[in-house]
């Protein structure tokens, strides 16, 4: 199956996009900046690839999981998608780590505090009722 | 040129961008802690998937030019990629994104935010 690697990469990129959209991490947070960062990352790792290929460190494999479409000598089409995936994964992973560690932007934190304050004020009588109910 | 030298050159470039971002955006120890965790997670993923990809013969190395340490099939030099990615991309993000909405927001303290984006603060 010559498209397995290509399809796996596209599916993985799609998963990153879903996480990005759900948690507003990269392209769904700052589309232009996100795209520029990904483009610079792509250029950086592509340059690394090209220098490594030119000095004969890397060579394409002969796996049947690849389409065989070459963009340059020893540089398969799939490599572009792999680099994009690595770059996108890095940003999404970091964004998720910040969320998991309880991080919030200061603005969001302020919003949340304001909301909690309001809720406390609104619901205090209800809580008392509940407490009374439990006792009786 | 041996591959480790080439990898170090690109790593130095990524590290330089990280240093610039740290200075310009005054990124603190917490930003670096999250960056370290990101690199660690990427390295674990590399250890697993690089092995699978090499086993599938997606790419090959000129083994004579490698340092010769392996983690399974993955040459130690390959871990330069997750390290470079973990340093370069979040640093570029810090330098380029509209600052207050950053995922790194909580990792920069209030005083720093005010200094970097005075007009956006009331």
């Amino acid at each position: 199956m010559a498209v397995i690697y290509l399809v796996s990469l596209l599916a993985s990129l799609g998963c990153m996009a879903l996480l990005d959209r759900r948690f507003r991490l990269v392209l769904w947070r700052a589309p232009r900046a996100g795209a520029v960062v990904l483009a610079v990352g792509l250029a950086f790792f592509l340059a690394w690839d090209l220098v490594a290929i030119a000095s004969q460190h890397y060579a394409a494999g002969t796996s049947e999981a690849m389409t065989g479409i070459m963009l340059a000598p020893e540089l398969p089409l799939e490599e572009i998608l792999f680099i994009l995936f690595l770059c996108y994964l890095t940003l999404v992973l970091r964004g998720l780590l910040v969320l998991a560690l309880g991080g919030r932007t200061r603005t969001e934190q302020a919003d949340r505090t304001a909301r909690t304050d309001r809720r406390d004020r609104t619901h205090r009588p209800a809580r008392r009722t509940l407490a009374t109910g439990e006792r009786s | 040129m041996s591959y480790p030298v080439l990898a170090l050159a690109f790593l130095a470039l990524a590290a330089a961008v990280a240093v610039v971002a740290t200075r310009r955006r005054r990124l603190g120890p917490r930003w670096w802690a999250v960056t370290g965790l990101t690199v660690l997670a990427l390295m674990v993923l590399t250890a697993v998937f690089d092995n699978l990809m090499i086993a599938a013969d997606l790419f090959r190395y000129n083994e004579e030019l490698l340092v010769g340490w392996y983690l399974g099939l993955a040459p130690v030099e390959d871990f330069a990629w997750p390290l470079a990615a973990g340093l370069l991309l979040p640093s570029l993000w810090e330098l380029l994104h509209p600052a207050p909405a950053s995922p790194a927001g909580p990792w920069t303290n209030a005083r720093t935010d005010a200094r970097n984006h005075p007009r956006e603060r009331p």
Side-chain angles (χ1 to χ4, degrees):
Chain A
M1 282 291 286
V3 292
I4 281 189
Y5 186 33
L6 188 70
V7 169
S8 310
L9 285 168
L10 287 172
S12 309
L13 272 168
C15 292
M16 289 305 115
L18 285 174
L19 283 168
D20 185 5
R21 194 178 78 148
R22 167 67 181 78
F23 296 102
R24 297 185 176 274
L25 301 169
V26 186
L27 294 172
W28 272 267
R29 182 180 289 256
R32 199 179 299 172
V36 172
V37 171
L38 289 175
V40 175
L42 176 62
F44 174 84
F45 284 108
L46 199 55
W48 191 331
D49 263 345
L50 290 173
V51 175
I53 289 167
S55 32
Q56 300 185 325
H57 294 299
Y58 296 166
T62 56
S63 170
E64 288 183 2
M66 288 196 287
T67 57
I69 300 168
M70 304 300 268
L71 302 175
E74 307 298 335
L75 186 77
L77 165 70
E78 286 88 344
E79 183 66 5
I80 302 292
L81 291 172
F82 172 76
I83 293 174
L84 269 181
F85 169 68
L86 175 69
C87 294
Y88 203 8
L89 168 70
T90 304
L91 293 172
V92 166
L93 195 60
R94 191 175 199 287
L96 288 177
L97 275 172
V98 169
L99 285 180
L101 294 170
R104 253 168 257 126
T105 65
R106 290 207 322 129
T107 325
E108 282 167 33
Q109 211 153 19
D111 285 352
R112 191 168 297 225
T113 315
R115 228 179 297 135
T116 318
D117 287 350
R118 267 199 306 278
R119 205 186 303 135
D120 277 356
R121 274 198 298 276
T122 327
H123 290 281
R124 206 165 289 148
R127 259 186 225 158
R128 264 187 219 133
T129 318
L130 182 66
T132 327
E134 274 167 0
R135 245 178 268 136
S136 59
Chain B
M1 180 169 48
S2 75
Y3 185 64
V5 174
L6 174 69
L8 280 176
F10 277 93
L11 272 177
L13 195 58
V17 176
V19 168
V20 170
T22 303
R23 292 217 176 138
R24 285 238 187 125
R25 296 292 190 184
R26 303 192 186 275
L27 304 171
R30 288 174 139 186
W31 185 89
W32 278 96
V34 179
T35 298
L37 275 179
T38 309
V39 168
L40 196 69
L42 288 172
M43 286 202 172
V44 172
L45 291 170
T46 299
V48 175
F49 286 96
D50 208 33
N51 269 295
L52 290 176
M53 290 158 84
I54 292 168
D57 195 18
L58 296 179
F59 45 82
R60 293 171 182 183
Y61 298 90
N62 184 346
E63 296 194 0
E64 286 170 20
L65 297 171
L66 294 174
V67 92
W69 299 336
Y70 294 87
L71 220 87
L73 296 170
V76 69
E77 288 88 345
D78 257 7
F79 291 86
W81 273 54
L83 180 56
L87 285 176
L88 180 71
L89 289 144
S91 304
L92 285 172
W93 173 260
E94 291 302 331
L95 289 169
L96 293 172
H97 81 291
S102 143
W107 308 112
T108 50
N109 65 39
R111 215 179 310 145
T112 312
D113 274 359
R115 198 159 46 220
N116 284 342
H117 321 288
R119 264 176 243 157
E120 287 154 26
R121 299 289 155 198

